[in-house]
Amino acid sequence: MASSQPMASIDLGQVEELAAQLRVDSVRSSTSAGSGHPTSSMSAADLLAVLVGRHLRYDWDHPEADGNDHLIFSKGHASPLLYSVFKAVGVITDEELMTGYRRFGSRLEGHPTPVLPWVDVATGSLGQGLPDGVGVALAGKYLDRLPYRAWVLCGDSEMAEGSMWEALDKASYYDLSNLVALVDVNRLGQRGPTELGWNLEAYARRAEAFGARVLTIDGHDLAQIDQALATAADESAGRPTVILARTVKGRGYSEVADREGWHGKPLPEDMAARAVAELGGERHLLVRGPLPQGSIVSPVAAAEPVPSLPGYTCGERIPTRKAYGDALLTLGRINPRVVALDGEVSNSTHADEFANAYPGRYFEMFIAEQQMVAAAVGLSVRHYIPFASTFAAFLTRAHDFIRMAAISQANLRLVGSHAGVEIGADGPSQMALEDLAMMRAVHGSTVLYPSDATSTVALTLAMADTRGISYLRTTRGGYPVLYGPGESFPVGGSKVLRSSDADRVTLIGAGVTVHQCLAAADQLAADGIKTRVIDLYSVKPVDAATLAAAARATQGRLVVAEDHHPEGGLGSAVADALLAARVPQLRLSHLAVRKMPGSGTTAELLDAAGISARHIEAAAKELLAEQ
Amino acid sequence: MASSQPMASIDLGQVEELAAQLRVDSVRSSTSAGSGHPTSSMSAADLLAVLVGRHLRYDWDHPEADGNDHLIFSKGHASPLLYSVFKAVGVITDEELMTGYRRFGSRLEGHPTPVLPWVDVATGSLGQGLPDGVGVALAGKYLDRLPYRAWVLCGDSEMAEGSMWEALDKASYYDLSNLVALVDVNRLGQRGPTELGWNLEAYARRAEAFGARVLTIDGHDLAQIDQALATAADESAGRPTVILARTVKGRGYSEVADREGWHGKPLPEDMAARAVAELGGERHLLVRGPLPQGSIVSPVAAAEPVPSLPGYTCGERIPTRKAYGDALLTLGRINPRVVALDGEVSNSTHADEFANAYPGRYFEMFIAEQQMVAAAVGLSVRHYIPFASTFAAFLTRAHDFIRMAAISQANLRLVGSHAGVEIGADGPSQMALEDLAMMRAVHGSTVLYPSDATSTVALTLAMADTRGISYLRTTRGGYPVLYGPGESFPVGGSKVLRSSDADRVTLIGAGVTVHQCLAAADQLAADGIKTRVIDLYSVKPVDAATLAAAARATQGRLVVAEDHHPEGGLGSAVADALLAARVPQLRLSHLAVRKMPGSGTTAELLDAAGISARHIEAAAKELLAEQ
């Protein structure tokens, strides 16, 4: 059985054939690859067959069409099923499926990524697809104002991740009737039964309590599935829908159905042959479901006249977090696609300036940092320009989401305030001392840490045009503005604040330590020791040329001071750059937060950490005393 | 009113006085410090007064007593209230409270930490105290088998964190009737109203759906509180209890009660004076509640005869994750306080060997990595020796919990399997490429990455005796055993696998790249180039002496190859050590995973990442060609 013209909005008899094809192809592709998750695909094949054949409104020839629904596999390990769908709709060939899946150089990776044009976000770390879908649905309902839906296939195991409940909480808070979670309750996880097994009532109570409309069905009864998807498409309830589908892992092949020990294992060839036979053999149906309802480009508010940038007077004491707020507000005026999110601390991060001015483009995520980052990823899918902020320390909560966002090719701007011991009395729980290491190690990331208000504004504006994951670290306290309004701050650059031909040591800081370096330079100058001072505001990419020139000019003597643990931050960035540049005779003194801090004033804590001006001065003198 | 002898199990009239004292002292201490959260303390003062005066069974003179209840402030910002309790029970003085709070060098930090002997865990990153309490309750119910309870004061804002629902989920799964969450529903967060306000019914539906017994009360009605705490102490329901207390932020002082804009702000002195007057003035009650019910040391199973260690034959191909499983099983025999947790992948991490042998000391955490780490923290509070494992990539999910565990002075052993591109076909979502950077930047951490089974066993055993947060990175595939059973692998050491007086380049690897370095060394030797090869199994602390000696011996020429992003991992550890050692003329070639990987075989992916033997060989030759 084969057809060369795709069938549109097939009937349930054809859906049954399609479901069988999806199962057969899930088995074939994973067996051919020698790895993959056929049984986790087979449990959800009926759900996907009905969805793709009759409900998903998607123009497969134009995956970027504004009106397209969004299909997200939160259970990304069911990639054989997703790729079998792609074959069934004719966007990949059977040959690609059979020879590409999980192979080197192929776009059909072990878990879906946006290397494929029909994939919005990378999944495979469980509990992230539904949170991402919340972001897509937010865009649809509040920004695009288009009738597309986000359909998210979830596993039952991943309902143990708190992030799934953050997602449902925010979905109901924001009345996301355009979000549908299909939960494939096949009762078996990787190592054995799931926590709740087939207790669909338990799942239903939870999802309802979190504000969802819940539909409980037999996930292998095509009519029940069809009815549930039609009900989900009726958005009058004003709530997200959770479809709890009781399914059988490995459904369709009696030798593995509902059996433990078959998670993540391809069938051996002989079993695969028997499975295909039991499923009625290979099929090559070509199927297309309904097209999207129009591709109206939503009316986006016209940009306001370009405002003048926030300007500050040199010497004025302005917290960089405040300058961030000012810059974000300006960006909001310049570019209507700029949106902002915050984790219930917008009055501290100063995202509240934007929130007050542009409430329609601000999403309060309350204290749910994972969901905040995931929502930003979803907004990025729809080409919005999200800025997400919280205390820098609390961005560690979303580390796995940030890591996955890089694989998702998302363009995110993350902003962490209250960095380092500088924050003072609140103590170590609120002090980001690991964030630079975390953000530098993210693939393709940009890491910025300005020392004053002028540079903060410039870098915030630059972030709007920066691809990938960019991160701005801001400071709690107010410090003197160092730069006039005319200065430029390219990403990857630095500023040499003090320089002469007689410099004997280079002092390198970023953020708060720039001011400590300047104070140390003054003291050293008073003692007749000239120093070069570098504001290394771009931690990644780093200005290797300026660093190397300074190191050579000062006979390899450098002091790096950072308000961060010694591993992976500013000192690492400098060391990596100078080693790569083959600067000879490096004598680097690295001042960082090496002891567990407590509470105190900023001055007390910077000094106790050994990163204050007097420590920088002493380190410089020690370098000069070294042989 | 003052008393020099503490009152025991006071009546509700006395409780009312105590509550007023706690409010007054919360105001006084935060005003004296000029920072802190008085209003968030005042809302919960009645809850704490009843709890401490009548229900908490705690021997304040012996905070380490086995039978003591556990009091955890998940809303750590209410530290003024906690410290006011400490004054009321007489373990700190009024003077310490008034002159120490939030001051430099004081133990009364902005958020509670175990610097104080009555504090189990550091809090202040919201959504962590309740998950930690789950760990304490697990210890009480399943290991200590003591009747102590874990009482956790939670904020309403933090109920937006998914981790709180992971905690309730696991608490009900494990029938933790000894866990009581008191939720202070004061309806106001930092920047304004919370998501659910005073909708206690909504909270109740959620908590009930997650398996808790829910009691909804007026959090300022002492009799209602008393009744609820008594009910919570009746554990016959076999479930955790959630007490939802409707409270008023700033309760007791009419000028701020239920007002926005007073979060995290101390009262100015004039307002503080009026608040104290409205609350009836200062008091100095000394109060003690009931003592713990006995301090029975629980019968811990006697250690079995010390078994022989797992032994492997050199050249045998054993995945280090398998060796971890073998070692953990051995540890289980040696030490009855060793416990294990896993995130539903124990058949991949090989924690299942322990789980099968010692099911009573194994806690399946399903796919909830945050809760897994928090439970380990709670078990560490009770001096168990927890090993928690999952795929290394998914430990990023728990970054904030790991960071806070360091502040909690917890002794945790984390084990991440499936590191790097080595895993092959599953693709980047499953590849840990940031974990070394994350774990190195944790305060006081130990980071281990063995290359073979023998060293893995030795290091796993060493971890049991390692204080702080230790991390073992294991590898998916099988590689030849390099070391015989007699070898020792001290933490902070390394192994020189190839060495001669004629070495011209040093090749440094860890884990899978050690084998690539050895292959490169063979090829270079065939070309007449002698190299030194170092197995840098201890990434932190790192063996600076051996690295420096090798660097000097090979004229500063080093190739570092790591299956990790270039930032913050092995290369950084080497660079930091060599720069600190002032090795001259360093010429370091750093091979790391710089492009986004896809799927493929291990060999294809190591090669595509540029960290395979041929790339190491080429890098060595390039170094030799450098001037």
Side-chain angles (χ1 to χ4, degrees), chain A residues 543-590:
Chain A
D543 186 352
T546 298
L547 288 172
R552 290 177 198 276
T554 57
Q555 298 83 50
R557 293 189 200 94
L558 305 107
V559 180
V560 179
E562 62 178 318
D563 195 357
H564 186 273
H565 286 157
E567 300 87 3
L570 196 67
S572 277
V574 171
D576 292 353
L578 293 176
L579 286 173
R582 300 286 188 262
V583 176
Q585 303 297 349
L586 282 172
R587 286 167 290 187
L588 190 145
S589 179
H590 183 197

Side-chain angles (χ1 to χ4, degrees), chain A residues 35 37 102-105 109-111 113 123-128 157-158 160-163 165-166 169-170 172-173 189-195 202 205-206 209-210 344-348 364 366-370 393-394 396-397 399-401 403-404 406-407 425-426 428-431 433-434 437-438 440-443 540 565-568 572 575-576 579 582 584-589 594-600 604-605 608 623 626, chain B residues 35 37 102-105 109-111 113 123-128 157-158 160-163 165-166 169-170 172-173 189-195 202 205-206 209-210 344-348 364 366-370 393-394 396-397 399-401 403-404 406-407 425-426 428-431 433-434 437-438 440-443 540 565-568 572 575-576 579 582 584-589 594-600 604-605 608 623 626:
Chain A
S35 78
H37 295 73
R102 287 178 167 249
R103 297 341 185 265
F104 181 70
E109 297 182 18
H111 294 75
T113 79
T123 52
S125 177
L126 289 167
Q128 300 207 17
S157 275
E158 68 179 324
E161 287 282 14
S163 57
W165 303 98
E166 293 183 14
D169 176 52
K170 291 301 169 295
S172 63
Y173 180 81
Q190 170 174 323
R191 44 130 282 295
T194 60
E195 210 172 337
R205 280 193 298 273
R206 294 180 181 193
F210 273 73
E344 222 278 301
V345 291
S346 59
N347 55 335
S348 288
E364 177 57 59
F366 297 94
I367 307 182
E369 296 81 4
Q370 296 185 116
F394 305 145
T396 57
R397 195 66 154 253
H399 189 170
D400 196 23
F401 286 76
R403 177 183 79 86
M404 289 297 295
I407 307 175
D426 272 330
S429 65
Q430 320 291 300
M431 294 171 176
L433 292 164
E434 309 83 0
M438 173 176 80
R440 283 183 70 237
V442 170
H443 179 76
K540 180 184 173 191
H565 286 157
E567 300 87 3
S572 277
D576 292 353
L579 286 173
R582 300 286 188 262
Q585 303 297 349
L586 282 172
R587 286 167 290 187
L588 190 145
S589 179
R594 293 172 193 273
K595 288 180 294 190
M596 179 62 72
S599 292
E604 286 166 341
L605 293 170
L623 285 178
E626 266 188 35
Chain B
S35 78
H37 295 74
R102 287 179 168 250
R103 297 336 187 270
F104 181 72
E109 298 183 18
H111 294 75
T113 78
T123 53
S125 178
L126 288 167
Q128 300 206 17
S157 275
E158 68 179 323
E161 288 282 13
S163 57
W165 303 97
E166 293 182 14
D169 177 51
K170 290 303 170 294
S172 63
Y173 181 80
Q190 170 173 323
R191 43 129 284 293
T194 60
E195 211 171 337
R205 280 193 297 273
R206 294 180 182 193
F210 273 73
E344 222 277 301
V345 290
S346 58
N347 55 336
S348 288
E364 177 58 59
F366 297 95
I367 307 182
E369 295 82 5
Q370 296 184 115
F394 304 146
T396 58
R397 195 66 154 254
H399 189 171
D400 196 23
F401 286 75
R403 177 183 78 85
M404 289 296 296
I407 308 175
D426 272 329
S429 65
Q430 320 291 301
M431 293 170 177
L433 292 165
E434 309 84 359
M438 173 177 79
R440 283 183 69 238
V442 170
H443 179 76
K540 180 186 174 190
H565 286 158
E567 300 87 4
S572 276
D576 292 353
L579 286 172
R582 299 286 189 262
Q585 304 296 349
L586 283 172
R587 286 167 289 188
L588 190 145
S589 179
R594 293 173 193 273
K595 288 180 294 190
M596 180 62 72
S599 291
E604 287 167 340
L605 293 171
L623 285 179
E626 265 188 37

Side-chain angles (χ1 to χ4, degrees), chain A residues 50 77 93 127 158 286 327 368 580 625:
Chain A
V50 179
H77 55 287
T93 63
E158 68 179 324
L286 261 184

Side-chain angles (χ1 to χ4, degrees), chain A residues 244-331:
Chain A
L244 296 169
R246 186 188 201 277
T247 62
V248 173
K249 197 160 178 171
R251 166 82 171 195
Y253 176 38
S254 50
E255 291 184 55
V256 300
D258 199 31
R259 299 268 174 93
E260 289 190 40
W262 281 101
H263 179 92
K265 291 182 186 161
L267 302 179
E269 290 201 1
D270 57 332
M271 290 181 74
R274 292 200 295 277
V276 171
E278 185 173 330
L279 286 159
E282 286 183 30
R283 292 162 183 80
H284 298 285
L285 299 174
L286 261 184
V287 170
R288 292 274 169 115
L291 285 170
Q293 292 186 342
S295 297
I296 318 128
V297 173
S298 65
V300 166
E304 297 173 30
V306 175
S308 59
L309 296 183
Y312 309 96
T313 309
C314 283
E316 198 184 356
R317 296 179 83 89
I318 307 276
T320 55
R321 59 186 172 125
K322 172 70 173 80
Y324 165 69
D326 298 345
L328 186 65
L329 179 63
T330 303
L331 266 175

Side-chain angles (χ1 to χ4, degrees), chain A residues 432-455:
Chain A
L433 292 164
E434 309 83 0
D435 57 321
L436 294 176
M438 173 176 80
M439 291 306 310
R440 283 183 70 237
V442 170
H443 179 76
S445 64
T446 298
V447 179
L448 306 169
Y449 183 21
S451 62
D452 90 330
T454 303
S455 52

